[in-house]
Amino acid sequence: MTQQEKQISYMRPFLTMVFLFLIVGFLTTANTQFQGPLKETFLQKVGDLKNTFATLITFSWFLAYPICGGVGSSWINRYGYKGTLIRGLWIMIIGLGLFFASSYFTVQFPDADMTIGENVIPLGFFIFLLGSFVVGASATILQVVINPYLAASSVKGTQAIQRLAIGGTANSVGTTIAPYFVTGVVFGGLAMEDIQIGQLMLPFFLLMVTIAVIVVLLMNLSLPDIQGTRAEKGEKLEKSVWSFRHLTLGVCAIFFYVGVEVCIGANINLYAIEQNYASPALMATLYWGGMLIGRLAGSSLSKVSPRTQLTVTTVSATVLTLLAIIFNNPWLLTAVGLFHSIMWGAIFTLSVAHLGKYTSVASGVFMIGVVGGAILPLLQGVLADMLEGWRSSWFIVIFGELFMLYYALMGSRVRQRAD
């Protein structure tokens, strides 16, 4: 098969991955945007730990990444890319069903709750947390497939970081529309205090149907494997994937990247509410919209190296976050999204460079770092409760940006190759 034929054969699968990246982004951000509404509904009887409990929604989602990343890579070696995608989407339907069940259970059994100290929490809230974990597991498995597939699939006129940026653009479309889906569609534009938990049922049922349709379409779509990116069935890898230093540090870098990305995306609305700003959902939308614009721009940077892109964006994000703290202004944080936009693609590209047949396993290992999206926002919520405000908690973001700057300048240098 000629190179041109490979480019043509991979175009449709490439576009499929881009669309699935949109679904992952939409559900990830929609999940975080339930923090504010559920804080006002499920957590009305929680005392001084409302911020901590609210951030458990994000924690549950991202906890799935270190647990299920290895599952995704082992499924790729066993079932191939297509078989793994289909299984991941079925898991997503189950998770959405749990979201539906959390609302139904709470409506049917309003007095079913659990007391932790002086805090009274409806049992339906814990069902929602379980659903968040299960849908997060699905997103993990899908990304274990999507990232190496986008990086390795040959599309004429593009380099790996550009294809990841294109996928990231679709991801950002999903993250941009998600906040208004939650506030406008799910909750009908109601004020926080007027939201009813029963409004969750219909939207989540419709999402289950939509994903089921996608599964049926995907089962009938040709999705060829990409040679040289995974071990053949029964083949044993000679060394541990952790022996590649640039990958190990890349996992650390993605820990801080996802952590600080979600800190702003999930908690900026809580910060804005504390400062009595109108339309906190608008700030989240502008933040994710900035990521969309940045990824659109990044998809055209064919001659700028991933290392240079990561260096410039981390420095810029650090300066903006520091200014937001100094002026106590959440609007400045919305601009950080513009620079967070291409960090994922840059870090992933640098992390899997020259890994050859270790790439699919590395993709699963890479997902372990995404647990930063669970730990850092939760830690920030705890600090906000301890410090009685969100302002100083944003130093967590600055620390994460500085580690990524170190990775760009030194940690990503390749010292050992598999190919």
Side-chain angles (χ1 to χ4, degrees):
M1 181 180 291
T2 67
Q3 182 68 19
Q4 182 178 8
E5 289 172 335
K6 290 182 180 179
Q7 290 165 354
I8 295 174
S9 65
Y10 281 117
M11 177 58 75
R12 185 177 293 179
F14 170 76
L15 294 176
T16 301
M17 296 299 172
V18 170
F19 173 74
L20 290 174
F21 225 157
L22 184 150
I23 297 296
V24 170
F26 173 83
L27 289 175
T28 301
T29 304
N31 186 73
T32 63
Q33 292 305 305
F34 280 107
Q35 287 187 168
L38 294 185
K39 180 180 174 181
E40 298 297 326
T41 52
F42 275 127
L43 305 178
Q44 289 178 350
K45 298 180 182 179
V46 175
D48 296 332
L49 297 176
K50 277 189 177 182
N51 289 322
T52 301
F53 275 100
T55 52
L56 280 175
I57 297 170
T58 301
F59 179 85
S60 298
W61 175 284
F62 285 102
L63 182 63
Y65 280 81
I67 294 175
C68 300
V71 173
S73 58
S74 65
W75 281 5
I76 290 175
N77 290 333
R78 184 173 181 180
Y79 304 113
Y81 287 102
K82 180 177 177 179
T84 303
L85 280 178
I86 292 172
R87 286 166 174 80
L89 289 170
W90 279 121
I91 292 173
M92 182 176 290
I93 293 172
I94 294 171
L96 292 171
L98 287 169
F99 283 154
F100 175 91
S102 72
S103 176
Y104 180 82
F105 181 87
T106 304
V107 170
Q108 295 297 317
F109 306 99
D111 297 325
D113 52 42
M114 177 182 294
T115 301
I116 302 178
E118 297 180 353
N119 305 296
V120 180
I121 309 158
L123 293 180
F125 178 72
F126 294 101
I127 299 176
F128 193 94
L129 292 182
L130 178 60
S132 185
F133 175 83
V134 173
V135 180
S138 168
T140 304
I141 293 168
L142 293 182
Q143 288 190 72
V144 170
V145 174
I146 292 169
N147 286 299
Y149 206 100
L150 287 177
S153 59
S154 179
V155 177
K156 185 177 181 180
T158 65
Q159 59 172 329
I161 191 172
Q162 281 182 280
R163 293 191 291 273
L164 285 165
I166 293 169
T169 299
N171 185 271
S172 288
V173 171
T175 59
T176 301
I177 64 178
Y180 276 103
F181 172 82
V182 174
T183 58
V185 178
V186 177
F187 296 118
L190 293 174
M192 291 286 184
E193 61 270 16
D194 296 327
I195 290 173
Q196 301 295 320
I197 202 64
Q199 292 173 270
L200 288 171
M201 286 186 278
L202 180 59
F204 282 126
F205 177 77
L206 293 177
L207 283 173
M208 290 170 64
V209 173
T210 301
I211 301 302
V213 171
I214 293 173
V215 170
V216 173
L217 294 175
L218 187 61
M219 291 174 68
N220 294 283
L221 177 69
S222 174
L223 195 68
D225 275 343
I226 299 178
Q227 298 300 315
T229 61
R230 65 185 182 96
E232 297 300 325
K233 190 173 182 179
E235 180 183 4
K236 292 185 178 180
L237 298 174
E238 295 84 6
K239 63 183 77 173
S240 168
V241 73
W242 293 106
S243 64
F244 299 97
R245 178 178 177 273
H246 65 287
L247 171 65
T248 301
L249 291 176
V251 173
C252 297
I254 212 65
F255 173 91
F256 286 107
Y257 164 68
V258 179
V260 300
E261 177 196 65
V262 178
C263 276
I264 298 179
N267 295 336
I268 190 173
N269 57 341
L270 300 177
Y271 182 36
I273 291 170
E274 176 186 83
Q275 298 296 315
N276 295 317
Y277 281 91
S279 302
L282 175 61
M283 292 190 184
T285 298
L286 290 175
Y287 171 73
W288 297 114
M291 293 189 69
L292 170 60
I293 294 171
R295 283 168 174 169
L296 282 170
S299 64
S300 65
L301 299 176
S302 59
K303 297 182 180 180
V304 182
S305 71
R307 181 169 288 109
T308 300
Q309 292 185 36
L310 187 59
T311 301
V312 172
T313 52
T314 51
V315 170
S316 302
T318 300
V319 171
L320 279 171
T321 306
L322 183 60
L323 290 174
I325 295 172
I326 292 172
F327 294 106
N328 197 23
N329 190 335
W331 284 109
L332 290 169
L333 291 173
T334 64
V336 177
L338 185 66
F339 301 103
H340 278 174
S341 57
I342 56 178
M343 290 182 183
W344 175 282
I347 295 171
F348 184 83
T349 302
L350 293 169
S351 296
V352 301
H354 304 291
L355 291 186
K357 63 183 179 181
Y358 291 84
T359 301
S360 65
V361 176
S363 181
V365 166
F366 193 74
M367 291 299 108
I368 294 175
V370 181
V371 75
I375 294 174
L376 295 191
L378 179 62
L379 178 60
Q380 188 183 18
V382 172
L383 286 175
D385 283 327
M386 292 174 58
L387 301 173
E388 299 182 350
W390 288 91
R391 183 179 183 180
S392 297
S393 71
W394 297 106
F395 278 106
I396 291 177
V397 173
I398 291 179
F399 181 82
E401 305 290 354
L402 292 177
F403 183 88
M404 288 186 285
L405 178 60
Y406 155 76
Y407 182 70
L409 297 176
M410 292 179 283
S412 58
R413 303 290 178 180
V414 178
R415 296 185 179 181
Q416 183 182 10
R417 303 184 179 204
D419 53 10

